[in-house]
Amino acid sequence: MQHQPNDKRGSLSDPEYAFPTTTAQQSLWYLDRLRPGDPAWNIAVRFRIVGPLNVSILERSLNEIVRRHEILRTAFSFVDGNPTQIVHAHGSVTLPVDDLSSLPSPAREAEEEKRTIAEAALPFDLKAGPLLRARVLRLAAQEHVLLVAMHHIVSDGWSIGIFSDELGAHYEALASSAPRKPDLALQYADYAIWQNERSKTARQEELRSYWRDKLAGLPRCEFAPDHPRPPVKTNDGYILSTVLPVPLTHALGELAHRQGCTFFALALAALKALIAQHTRQNDIYVGTLVAGRDRVELEPLIGVFINTIVLRTDLSGDPLFAALLRRVQRTLEEGIAHQDLHFQQVVEALCLKRDASRPTLYSINFIYQRDFVKPIEFAGLSMTPLPSKSPGAIYDLNFFMVQRSDGWRLSCEYNCTLYDATTVNRLIGQLRHLFQEIVDNPNRRLSEFSFPHNVGDPLPPFVPRSRAGQYSAPPGLVSTPTYR
């Protein structure tokens, strides 16, 4: 059994409506035209489901989400010179089941890992759709893993939380023959129309002026790679993670409160100190993501609302960490106040020369979020999110802190072409060590913090994404339906 490039597990009916795309969707559309089917733009998540799962009801629940959210019945086409959302009246997804339960434990875990990575890396066809797929891995009679992937052009991190909550609610309702959830008052296409109208206001030019001034003359800011940078950027990625001790994150939160700043600003300041240590420069900038849902009506919608802002801070003068924290908090507040210009429009305003070997504008990203996806229970089942596998690296290094049920998880998704796992593991270890030193004494100058070389968790087995898309099933495994 092999994954095929066009592993399509669903269908869309005839087109019903055409709508303009949002700025985020336009950017993703053009990126896909440059590299069709690039899995780096997949959002791949997985859930462990424990209990007497009825796969038929789970599939019906998935399709109920597709019914409620037009964006999951949307494909994309080029109409009159513009990328356009094509909404279809009906859509369906099928839910195949791979039965791994007959394998002995070590082989089962290895096969689960391979299939998870391979599923995340499968491409989507934006023109054909559907841009959602799912698969179940049966590990035991009452233990399953649900793999879900959506293309970023129809989803974001917040959307995964909506998806998870609705999946449980629909399953509960279908299992008990309860009424359907009411239809949504708004759809993503309504937001697209509103955003296109808002882009014509004078406020947009004010925002362009701010970002042109703020990001003028950026120096290169990146960790030195372990390997030569290829002339054309690659996206092979992998994720390394560690769970931060609860007493440490509790102490960091208390420190942030005493300093009058957010936990996000404190973690970002620490990362910038780490970058400054390795680059030996003071002009430090990273990208970060903002939710983009500034109206309550947008909160229940699946779709891509996020935006990127670039946060640039001057670390000169060897400041006390507490002083750096105030600089970073100010930078963060300014950035959020000017977030309404989409990143693609910021890039256009800067008139930058494109470099095919690097991510656009910045190489290091930082994501901080309280987990959108929480463990839930429904119809005698428990569903728990599991750490994701990288479908591909958008940035050279993407650090992220996510609050999970077992504590704050510090992770880094990295470009495997550029960096070795040992290097990234060391960076994660140094950042964790820096967090502890900050708690011990936030009034040290940056030059007084230590960055030990021999830190980091034991490395997990490495499965390169570039080799994960093709594999054969061990004898005796059942997959329904088979890949075609």
Side-chain angles (χ1 to χ4, degrees), residues 198-226:
R198 188 171 67 164
S199 69
K200 301 169 186 175
T201 64
R203 168 69 171 160
Q204 297 296 294
E205 187 50 46
E206 295 175 13
L207 295 172
R208 286 187 182 87
S209 178
Y210 169 82
W211 288 112
R212 275 195 297 262
D213 292 343
K214 185 68 177 178
L215 302 180
L218 286 177
R220 186 163 290 164
C221 181
E222 60 189 23
F223 288 94
D226 296 310

Side-chain angles (χ1 to χ4, degrees), residues 8 17 157 163 195 264 270 284 337 393 413 474:
K8 190 171 180 180
Y17 304 112
F163 177 91
Q195 191 201 64
F264 177 22
I284 304 297
E413 181 179 53

Side-chain angles (χ1 to χ4, degrees), residues 68-220:
R68 274 173 50 82
H69 293 270
E70 281 183 356
I71 192 64
L72 299 180
R73 293 182 272 114
T74 297
F76 294 82
S77 187
F78 211 54
V79 179
D80 296 330
N82 295 298
T84 303
Q85 297 187 73
I86 307 297
V87 178
H88 298 250
H90 304 285
S92 65
V93 294
T94 58
L95 185 59
V97 179
D98 293 354
D99 191 345
L100 311 183
S101 60
S102 63
L103 291 173
S105 180
R108 184 172 63 246
E109 292 171 2
E111 190 65 19
E112 177 191 349
E113 175 89 354
K114 284 198 298 184
R115 293 183 187 225
T116 298
I117 294 172
E119 185 76 11
L122 283 172
F124 284 104
D125 182 342
L126 299 192
K127 191 170 183 179
L131 302 179
L132 161 69
R133 65 169 176 265
R135 175 172 292 276
V136 168
L137 306 180
R138 179 176 289 129
L139 306 182
Q142 296 203 11
E143 183 180 6
H144 298 77
V145 171
L146 173 64
L147 307 177
V148 177
M150 302 184 209
H151 195 281
H152 203 353
I153 203 168
V154 299
S155 185
D156 57 17
W158 185 305
S159 298
I160 299 301
I162 296 169
F163 177 91
S164 170
D165 290 344
E166 285 203 12
L167 188 67
H170 291 315
Y171 190 104
E172 183 95 55
L174 289 167
S176 61
S177 300
R180 283 177 165 179
K181 287 175 67 71
D183 290 345
L184 292 162
L186 291 176
Q187 293 287 344
Y188 186 81
D190 298 308
Y191 166 73
I193 293 170
W194 174 77
Q195 191 201 64
N196 275 265
E197 292 174 349
R198 188 171 67 164
S199 69
K200 301 169 186 175
T201 64
R203 168 69 171 160
Q204 297 296 294
E205 187 50 46
E206 295 175 13
L207 295 172
R208 286 187 182 87
S209 178
Y210 169 82
W211 288 112
R212 275 195 297 262
D213 292 343
K214 185 68 177 178
L215 302 180
L218 286 177
R220 186 163 290 164

Side-chain angles (χ1 to χ4, degrees), residues 241-264:
S241 299
T242 187
V243 177
L244 297 174
V246 172
L248 173 59
T249 53
H250 182 71
L252 288 168
E254 288 187 336
L255 174 61
H257 180 73
R258 291 197 304 272
Q259 295 289 332
C261 72
T262 62
F263 194 169
F264 177 22

